[in-house]
Amino acid sequence: MADRSLRGSGLGAKSFEDETGVEFAPRQEIGYDCPNQHHFALTFAEEAEIPALWECPRCGAESLRSDGERPEAKDEKPARTHWDMLRERRSIAELEDLLAERLDLLRSGALGPNYIASSGSAKSA
């Protein structure tokens, strides 16, 4: 240990273990092509599942594998709108009845700005 000094080395920064006798896993190098004409290669273990897309280290664009393997297209659900969720709970006839009821309340002044103004002045008087 006298020949190896730990002085000046950050904690966890380096491993001082020898690599002699260590057998590394079989590896493969996969190339990726960026739409901005950048090419780069990454090393993966042979048994690893290789992603079809990878972020370009130079520009951040989505890069495809050079060997031509394309990602599988995923079926995406359309976003549910407020109207879609409302239609799951109520029929058109029910919605028309509710609308007519609310319009009557608004017109009579029992609901809305007129109702708030009149109820607010009654409380303060």
Side-chain angles (χ1 to χ4, degrees):
M1 190 66 185
D3 59 334
R4 283 196 222 167
S5 173
L6 297 178
R7 182 182 230 175
S9 66
L11 290 177
K14 298 177 186 170
S15 170
F16 293 105
E17 190 163 339
D18 249 348
E19 292 181 0
T20 55
V22 175
E23 189 174 323
F24 293 108
R27 302 174 192 195
Q28 59 182 331
E29 195 169 277
I30 303 295
Y32 286 88
D33 294 320
C34 173
N36 297 327
Q37 308 305 319
H38 304 135
H39 178 78
F40 59 96
L42 299 171
T43 304
F44 294 93
E46 278 188 11
E47 67 270 1
E49 189 176 319
I50 312 297
L53 297 172
W54 197 273
E55 186 179 301
C56 177
R58 291 181 69 190
C59 67
E62 204 170 64
S63 305
L64 291 168
R65 284 177 60 170
S66 299
D67 61 6
E69 195 168 313
R70 300 288 178 241
E72 297 176 18
K74 296 180 182 177
D75 293 333
E76 292 185 21
K77 291 184 188 178
R80 285 176 54 199
T81 63
H82 178 70
W83 178 250
D84 295 332
M85 291 183 264
L86 186 62
R87 289 286 293 127
E88 289 173 6
R89 296 189 308 269
R90 309 238 187 227
S91 68
I92 294 290
E94 287 175 318
L95 291 171
E96 286 175 349
D97 289 342
L98 283 171
L99 178 62
E101 184 181 311
R102 291 297 171 170
L103 286 173
D104 288 342
L105 288 172
L106 278 170
R107 288 180 184 131
S108 70
L111 195 69
N114 296 337
Y115 174 74
I116 294 170
S118 64
S119 65
S121 60
K123 288 181 183 177
S124 61

